[in-house]
């Protein structure tokens, strides 16, 4: 959430999702955006973002690896929703190693900005 607010404030760019507003359409859009932290293929995640007309995506490293207790990391939470991909490596981890089909626009220790 602080990242989205910072991007909006400092760049004036449109934000694709704001998960704190309740609406069925927004929940579906948020799910597509957060698929970056699932175990789906990078190609499927890329297509989700293309469908939403996203130009850049911010991949926060802490969201990929943060785990307050077993079963609580973003990829593990996705495992409940997407059982068929449960045994695969997390998409965020794969994108950090090889960003295809995205392109890295910026990278530091905290996040990577990917061009869709």
């Amino acid at each position: 959430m602080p990242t989205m607010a910072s991007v909006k404030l400092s760049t004036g760019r449109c934000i694709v999702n704001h998960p704190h507003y309740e609406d069925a359409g927004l929940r579906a859009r948020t799910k597509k955006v957060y698929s970056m932290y699932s175990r789906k293929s990078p190609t499927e995640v890329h297509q989700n973002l293309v469908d939403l007309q996203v130009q850049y995506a911010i991949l926060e490293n802490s969201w990929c690896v943060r785990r307050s207790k077993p079963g609580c990391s973003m990829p593990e939470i996705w495992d409940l929703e997407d059982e068929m991909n449960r045994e695969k490596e997390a998409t965020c981890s794969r994108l950090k190693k090889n960003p295809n089909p995205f392109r890295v626009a910026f990278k530091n220790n905290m996040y990577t900005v990917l061009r869709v």
Side-chain angles (χ1 to χ4, degrees), residues 53-69:
Q53 299 179 340
V54 171
Q55 295 176 342
Y56 294 91
I58 299 173
L59 184 62
E60 290 192 61
N61 295 335
S62 65
W63 278 57
C64 189
V65 298
R66 181 178 26 194
R67 186 178 191 210
S68 57
K69 60 183 177 178

Side-chain angles (χ1 to χ4, degrees), residues 16-31:
V16 173
N17 82 319
H18 188 305
H20 295 97
Y21 294 129
E22 264 309 302
D23 167 282
L26 190 54
R27 279 192 303 273
R29 187 171 38 210
T30 297
K31 190 173 179 180

